[in-house]
Amino acid sequence: MSEDLLLKSHFSGEQFDQSFDRAQLPNLESAINDNRDLSLTGDLELDNKIRVWAEARGYVRRNFVADESLLAEDEDGCKYQPLVAQAFHALQAEAWSEGLEMKIFEGFRDHLYQRQIFMRPFVEENVEMNESNLKGRLRWVAPPGYSKHHTGYVIDITHLQDGQRFKDSSFINTPSFAWLSADNYAKVKKFGFIPSYPADLTNCGPNPEPWEYVYVGRQTLISML
């Protein structure tokens, strides 16, 4: 009965976000204990400004994987927590039974990889590292230490159709997204996931990302009813 109520219940973006904070998930180290290198630009003063700008957008320091050797890894090299693997395979199988093919294209990211992603346009495309461009980058990418991907409980999903992969901004127009988001993400909640950045969640860090989902566990969601 609780699960049936869960699937019929409407969660606001704020409630989805709160469920991630409430979830008691294994193999995580508190962000309080995070002494990893959070440098970005090589300029300490500028790095501090970027973090202030990030937090003003709603980014928060994230817990990180305690033991990376415990992560599951798929054939594409994506890593994520074992609970994610189990839940996503069940979600994927149900989607397949309804004629949809979807895969994970991004999972766990460590701090170094997150830095590389954030700095890519400035390093590879010679984009000027001024305040406007750095704040613009924060619309799409978290600085290291602030990404949900550090937890290993976040996945980015791609839709596969006719040999093509539809991911990132193109994902929102796919049948997979329509299926996942229907009825307040009923299918997503059924398997213990939530949308990472639902459209009605404000001041959450990046712009809404319809391809990103977080595992919190069904019991966490049921406890919020």
Side-chain angles (χ1 to χ4, degrees):
M1 180 62 70
S2 294
E3 182 171 307
D4 184 57
L5 180 61
L6 169 63
L7 301 185
K8 293 179 180 179
S9 296
H10 182 91
F11 281 65
S12 67
E14 185 175 354
Q15 287 173 311
F16 279 130
D17 194 47
Q18 289 171 349
S19 72
F20 184 42
D21 294 332
R22 183 180 294 192
Q24 299 294 312
L25 299 168
N27 194 29
L28 287 179
E29 185 73 28
S30 171
I32 297 173
N33 302 322
D34 189 356
N35 296 314
R36 302 186 186 197
D37 183 11
L38 300 183
S39 64
L40 269 170
T41 66
D43 181 328
L44 180 59
E45 183 178 355
L46 182 56
D47 285 354
N48 287 336
K49 287 182 179 179
I50 293 170
R51 284 190 281 275
V52 169
W53 297 332
E55 291 172 11
R57 284 191 62 90
Y59 285 105
V60 297
R61 289 292 297 276
R62 296 296 179 184
N63 296 339
F64 58 97
V65 174
D67 185 349
E68 294 180 22
S69 70
L70 299 180
L71 296 176
E73 184 172 359
D74 64 22
E75 68 275 10
D76 296 321
C78 291
K79 295 182 179 182
Y80 28 80
Q81 299 278 7
L83 288 173
V84 173
Q86 181 180 3
F88 180 74
H89 290 157
L91 171 67
Q92 186 182 44
E94 184 157 326
W96 180 262
S97 72
E98 298 189 33
L100 298 171
E101 186 176 2
M102 59 182 74
K103 291 187 69 174
I104 296 172
F105 75 89
E106 189 81 88
F108 166 70
R109 296 180 193 151
D110 63 18
H111 289 43
L112 178 59
Y113 183 32
Q114 191 67 30
R115 178 188 184 278
Q116 292 171 342
I117 294 174
F118 186 91
M119 293 298 294
R120 188 170 294 154
F122 307 108
V123 173
E124 298 180 6
E125 303 168 23
N126 296 316
V127 173
E128 184 180 355
M129 227 168 7
N130 57 34
E131 180 176 345
S132 177
N133 289 336
L134 287 164
K135 285 184 174 180
R137 189 64 175 151
L138 288 168
R139 294 172 58 198
W140 308 107
V141 183
Y146 290 80
S147 174
K148 292 181 181 179
H149 282 277
H150 295 332
T151 68
Y153 285 99
V154 174
I155 54 174
D156 294 338
I157 297 178
T158 181
H159 172 76
L160 284 73
Q161 186 172 340
D162 300 327
Q164 297 185 64
R165 291 192 176 198
F166 298 86
K167 62 180 186 178
D168 294 337
S169 59
S170 66
F171 184 74
I172 196 170
N173 297 315
T174 66
S176 287
F177 176 72
W179 185 81
L180 291 168
S181 61
D183 301 319
N184 191 231
Y185 295 91
K187 296 291 189 183
V188 175
K189 291 183 292 188
K190 177 181 178 180
F191 295 98
F193 290 98
I194 61 168
S196 191
Y197 301 107
D200 64 335
L201 182 63
T202 59
N203 199 43
C204 59
N207 289 352
E209 298 183 346
W211 58 88
E212 186 175 300
Y213 296 85
V214 184
Y215 179 83
V216 298
R218 281 183 295 187
Q219 289 306 311
T220 299
L221 294 170
I222 290 172
S223 72
M224 297 183 67
L225 298 178

